[in-house]
Amino acid sequence: MKDYLELLKSEPIFRRLSTIQLIAYFGAWFSNIAIYTLLLNLNTSASVIAFVAMLHFLAGVIQAPFSGSIIDSFKPKKILLILITIEIFATFFLIFVTSVDDMWLLYLLIFLKMAAASFYFTTEMSLLPKILRGKKLQKANELHSIIWSLSYTLGMAISGFFVYWFGVKVAFIVDALMFVVGFILLYNLKIEINIIKTDENLFEMMKDTFRYIKRTPQALHLMIIHAFVGLTAFDALVVLMVDQYYVGIIASSLALGLLHSARAVGLVIGPMLISRFVNNKTLVYVFMAQAVAVWIWAVLMRDFYLSLFASVFVGFFTTTLWSYTYTLLQKNIKEKYYGRMVAYNDMLFLSSAALVSFMIGFLATHDFSLQSIAVLMGVGFVLGGLYFKWILKTQTIKDVSDDL
């Protein structure tokens, strides 16, 4: 924890971006719980729930091929301000979704909101390696994930009770106001970054990126290994668990909030305890440990209280997997391609998460038990670990701890 605090003290730009991140993410979980509570209240089907979960990721996939080239061509602050403005309005207009007939509006707003959020995240993550180096970059990625997890923990826990007491519309308004605060903090922040000017147009930049990937195959492999972390897209599974197992025990919004916040506890404490021991050689074991955690969850998920315990264990390894694989990509690509490569990396990650969300709904509607679905997700992490072991044998990969 001391290293993270020192990083925040010594890097004012990163400190302000982290503060904005904490505020925006905290508010986002209010609308997240509100959306799924609304779907349950409207008695929507498992396929609709899975589609909404998939839509949260699909939006980022569609805009990713263009976002990277835009990020590499324009000042990051202008891009971030535009994106957070879109998030404000897309979040606020969710209050007008009141019935099944309004599903089209819900789909549209979620698409806009998540496309902007994904674009914002990609812009920020391509900015970090331009202002930070070496161990600072690794710690920044870890702290970014910890802040996400912390806001996830508090946001999910509080929003469950908040939605239960005040309803979904107030939750959407609170979320929008959180983004307004983030906009004000970002507007007053000075970010001086030199843009590498190029005469290439958008499509020429995209072609150049594919040529770079072709001659740098390790970059593609690292993007794929990061995409395996998309198997942690458990949102649809958790909603279906609440609907099938816990609806007679506790209110839906409270169950959703508690389950997600329990997993988020693991997301926060995990990297603090194990990140120092993780390197290229030991990452394989982290993948395997994540698989075991998911399998334990599958065995215990019918019991609400045991599921809460298992959720903590499920989240324990996730943050480290995400932050380490992300940093590996940043360490093994050229600065010229930061924006584009990070965008394509996010596209693969979000595609993985969207596919997982879709498959959860598909399998659930084809008589697969939720336990068997979780077991299959665990198998995915085993395959990810074996794939990374193969990458280390066939590719030259810089370790995160190596000096730049």
Side-chain angles (χ1 to χ4, degrees):
M1 181 59 72
K2 182 180 179 182
D3 292 339
Y4 301 130
L5 293 176
E6 289 179 353
L7 176 63
L8 291 172
K9 289 179 181 179
S10 62
E11 299 292 339
I13 295 178
F14 177 69
R15 182 172 64 248
R16 180 66 67 86
L17 290 174
S18 297
T19 302
I20 296 169
Q21 176 197 1
L22 178 62
I23 294 171
Y25 282 2
F26 181 81
W29 301 121
F30 279 76
S31 59
N32 187 283
I33 290 293
I35 287 171
Y36 289 116
T37 300
L38 177 63
L39 292 175
L40 291 175
N41 291 342
L42 294 176
N43 296 316
T44 54
S45 65
S47 58
V48 171
I49 292 172
F51 179 74
V52 169
M54 181 180 70
L55 200 59
H56 275 76
F57 305 107
L58 189 62
V61 174
I62 294 174
Q63 53 84 28
F66 305 98
S67 63
S69 299
I70 294 173
I71 291 168
D72 284 335
S73 304
F74 296 94
K75 294 287 186 180
K77 181 178 176 179
K78 292 182 179 179
I79 298 175
L80 294 174
L81 285 172
I82 292 172
L83 294 173
I84 203 169
T85 301
I86 294 173
E87 290 191 79
I88 291 171
F89 286 102
T91 302
F92 177 77
F93 286 125
L94 284 169
I95 66 174
F96 297 110
V97 178
T98 57
S99 69
V100 176
D101 294 333
D102 299 324
M103 285 296 102
W104 67 271
L105 179 59
L106 177 68
Y107 298 154
L108 175 62
L109 293 175
I110 290 176
F111 183 87
L112 291 174
K113 177 179 170 66
M114 299 313 299
S118 176
F119 204 151
Y120 186 100
F121 172 80
T122 302
T123 304
E124 185 175 1
M125 294 307 291
S126 62
L127 173 62
L128 291 185
K130 296 177 183 178
I131 62 176
L132 301 171
R133 293 290 187 272
K135 275 290 184 180
K136 283 190 174 182
L137 177 59
Q138 179 187 356
K139 291 298 178 183
N141 284 335
E142 290 176 0
L143 187 58
H144 184 106
S145 191
I146 289 172
I147 290 174
W148 182 90
S149 304
L150 180 62
S151 60
Y152 186 31
T153 306
L154 298 175
M156 283 296 188
I158 296 174
S159 61
F161 290 98
F162 191 92
V163 172
Y164 179 71
W165 286 327
F166 300 105
V168 297
K169 288 188 178 181
V170 178
F172 292 142
I173 294 172
V174 169
D175 186 8
L177 291 176
M178 290 285 189
F179 282 116
V180 171
V181 175
F183 179 93
I184 295 171
L185 291 175
L186 180 61
Y187 186 82
N188 294 319
L189 175 63
K190 290 184 178 180
I191 304 177
E192 299 297 335
I193 297 295
N194 293 323
I195 302 298
I196 300 177
K197 295 183 178 180
T198 176
D199 295 328
E200 300 173 319
N201 60 36
L202 184 64
F203 293 101
E204 288 174 339
M205 292 178 71
M206 292 173 63
K207 291 180 181 179
D208 183 41
T209 305
F210 285 116
R211 288 193 292 266
Y212 175 71
I213 293 175
K214 185 176 180 179
R215 64 177 183 267
T216 316
Q218 63 266 35
L220 177 60
H221 289 301
L222 291 176
M223 288 192 288
I224 294 174
I225 200 64
H226 182 72
F228 272 92
V229 189
L231 289 167
T232 59
F234 299 124
D235 290 35
L237 186 61
V238 172
V239 176
L240 294 176
M241 286 165 55
V242 171
D243 189 41
Q244 288 191 26
Y245 304 142
Y246 316 137
V247 72
I249 301 173
I250 186 173
S252 298
S253 60
L254 297 180
L256 288 170
L258 290 173
L259 285 167
H260 283 298
S261 60
R263 180 158 66 101
V265 170
L267 292 171
V268 172
I269 64 176
M272 296 180 184
L273 298 178
I274 67 173
S275 64
R276 72 185 70 179
F277 305 110
V278 180
N279 53 47
N280 284 2
K281 292 182 179 180
T282 60
L283 186 66
V284 174
Y285 302 110
V286 181
F287 270 101
M288 300 303 175
Q290 180 70 71
V292 172
V294 174
W295 290 335
I296 292 174
W297 188 39
V299 173
L300 302 177
M301 68 168 52
R302 285 182 177 272
D303 185 289
F304 177 69
Y305 299 102
L306 291 177
S307 183
L308 286 175
F309 167 77
S311 296
V312 176
F313 194 43
V314 167
F316 190 83
F317 304 98
T318 304
T319 300
T320 299
L321 279 177
W322 182 91
S323 61
Y324 193 90
T325 54
Y326 214 114
T327 310
L328 271 181
L329 178 66
Q330 292 169 322
K331 291 278 290 188
N332 287 274
I333 57 176
K334 291 183 178 180
E335 180 176 350
K336 175 184 177 181
Y337 298 95
Y338 277 160
R340 282 166 278 179
M341 294 300 290
V342 168
Y344 283 114
N345 180 63
D346 291 345
M347 180 182 70
L348 288 179
F349 174 82
L350 293 170
S351 297
S352 172
L355 178 61
V356 168
S357 298
F358 170 79
M359 290 305 299
I360 289 172
F362 177 82
L363 295 175
T365 54
H366 286 76
D367 299 326
F368 278 74
S369 68
L370 300 186
Q371 288 91 342
S372 62
I373 294 173
V375 169
L376 290 174
M377 296 171 80
V379 171
F381 288 109
V382 173
L383 296 177
L386 295 176
Y387 178 54
F388 186 69
K389 188 175 182 179
W390 176 84
I391 292 174
L392 293 180
K393 289 183 178 180
T394 59
Q395 306 293 322
T396 301
I397 306 295
K398 294 179 183 178
D399 199 287
V400 163
S401 59
D402 292 342
D403 293 331
L404 290 175

